[in-house]
Amino acid sequence: MAKEFDILVAGGGIAGLTAGLTAARLGRSVQVLTGDVLGGNLLSIEKIEGFPGFADGVAGYELCPITQGQAAEAGAGFAMTEVIELQADGARWNVTDPVETYSAGAVIIATGASIKELGVPGEEALRGHGVSHCASCDAPLLKDKVVAVVGGGDSAAQEALTLAGAASSVTIYCREDALIAKAVYQARIEAHAGIDVRYGTTIDKILGDDVVTGISAGGADMECDGVFIYIGLAPNTGFLNGLLDLGADGRVPVDEDLRSQVPGLFAAGCVRTGSAGQAASSAGDGAAAAIAADAYLEGGTWR
Ligand SMILES: Cc1cc2nc3c(=O)[nH]c(=O)nc-3n(C[C@H](O)[C@H](O)[C@H](O)COP(=O)(O)OP(=O)(O)OC[C@H]3O[C@@H](n4cnc5c(N)ncnc54)[C@H](O)[C@@H]3O)c2cc1C
């Protein structure tokens, strides 16, 4: 028999956790379904900047469990299950995993986005052996070592600064002729003696047999002990399987109430079109989507 809820939330990042918290506070039965550890991309960030209430920034591994605890306290439930498919069942939606079927009248899609892969030789084989997406996890292992960061946006800049706290030197390999990170990050990178930027560089290969020993770019090999890849984000929408039309950026189009084109389906956080891509805006989205889902369940109307 299906477990019945008012609202299912797909994804347990900051958007999904806040959606769960808000839905529970509105008196809705809500289950947050997430494919991996709750917290999403923020979980591994050493210092989330710009989140209200934390003047000096806050670590993701502190903020996310606090939010999860707050949501649980309010009555939200959690299940570590990856949503493979959303199945329509009349006016309800079902998610089935190997053990359980979860059913609800509304679903908030908050599956976020995953860091893109470079797709070069060595990347897959050396993942966890020097190739990483998590600066805060691996910086302590790279004390006094040489580190390469690939990318040119906010994430690359921010994580290079985290790594520079431990590594002897950090080089950012940027494909373009300039960083696209916000000016505030660019200024910090320029001012940091331990960080160098190489522009117009495309990585061809990650070198090493058992562990990373270097990278190859433009015909030249450079030695390094770790490679951190931040070349953009790909929205996690594969499980939607044509259920709705995605935007040109692959994200879920929504209206001002975060309603998708399909009745009962809402989207929140960086999986939706027009997301500001920040922790604060994603949390705000989660709250707004829960309020809109509550109103939908109350009135049963759509548009
Ligand atoms: C390196 C880096 C540094 C950043 N630094 C900052 C910062 O300093 N300040 C700031 O404001 N923002 C920062 N951001 C942006 C911030 O991480 C995002 O805005 C925020 O994580 C978006 O939250 P979200 O909940 O929408 O998505 P996500 O964090 O991506 O969470 C989505 C969750 O859904 C899960 N999921 C995916 N698919 C499924 C599925 N099919 N079924 C179930 N669960 C699924 C994922 O496993 C994940 O747990 C940074 C991002 C990166 C990558």
Side-chain angles (χ1 to χ4, degrees):
M1 225 176 64
K3 283 192 170 175
E4 306 274 341
F5 297 92
D6 293 325
I7 299 173
L8 291 177
V9 179
I14 194 71
L17 290 172
T18 313
L21 165 65
T22 307
R25 292 193 68 243
L26 289 166
R28 293 291 177 186
S29 59
V30 55
Q31 183 83 345
V32 179
L33 308 173
T34 197
D36 57 10
V37 184
L38 289 155
N41 280 329
L42 288 179
L43 196 62
S44 60
I45 310 294
E46 188 62 37
K47 188 174 171 187
I48 302 167
E49 299 192 25
F51 200 84
F54 298 93
D56 297 325
V58 57
Y61 47 80
E62 287 171 6
L63 179 70
C64 297
I66 291 172
T67 314
Q68 180 191 349
Q70 210 179 342
E73 185 70 22
F78 301 92
M80 305 295 279
T81 189
E82 186 181 350
V83 178
I84 307 293
E85 192 184 0
L86 280 180
Q87 292 162 326
D89 178 14
R92 295 186 68 79
W93 293 94
N94 293 342
V95 172
T96 302
D97 71 14
V99 213
E100 213 70 74
T101 293
Y102 304 90
S103 166
V107 178
I108 298 172
I109 299 163
T111 45
S114 298
I115 296 174
K116 286 184 187 166
E117 311 292 340
L118 271 176
V120 299
E123 181 179 26
E124 193 55 45
L126 294 167
R127 188 178 312 288
H129 302 277
V131 174
S132 174
H133 291 309
C134 184
S136 66
C137 319
D138 294 341
L141 307 173
L142 291 161
K143 194 161 168 36
D144 301 328
K145 307 259 186 191
V146 177
V147 170
V149 171
V150 187
D154 287 350
S155 299
Q158 201 179 352
E159 300 306 273
L161 288 160
T162 296
L163 288 160
S168 60
S169 78
V170 175
T171 303
I172 300 177
Y173 293 90
C174 176
R175 195 175 55 177
E176 287 76 27
D177 293 333
L179 296 176
I180 54 164
K182 289 192 188 69
V184 61
Y185 290 126
Q186 294 200 31
R188 281 192 229 162
I189 295 285
E190 273 165 32
H192 202 300
I195 303 179
D196 182 33
V197 187
R198 295 208 193 158
Y199 297 103
T201 316
T202 304
I203 308 299
D204 304 317
K205 192 174 178 185
I206 298 174
L207 308 172
D209 293 327
D210 303 323
V211 293
V212 168
T213 55
I215 55 168
S216 179
D221 292 351
M222 271 79 66
E223 284 182 14
C224 66
D225 305 289
V227 183
F228 290 76
I229 300 161
Y230 303 104
I231 55 166
L233 295 167
N236 297 316
T237 53
F239 70 99
L240 292 171
N241 243 337
L243 196 59
L244 40 76
D245 298 328
L246 298 174
D249 56 1
R251 292 169 199 260
V252 179
V254 288
D255 67 9
E256 66 276 11
D257 291 323
L258 303 184
R259 297 181 297 189
S260 76
Q261 66 184 143
V262 178
L265 299 187
F266 300 77
C270 61
V271 73
R272 73 155 175 103
T273 52
S275 161
Q278 292 288 293
S281 61
S282 299
D285 267 13
I291 291 166
D294 175 59
Y296 164 69
L297 292 171
E298 195 64 39
T301 56
W302 195 259
R303 315 251 185 254

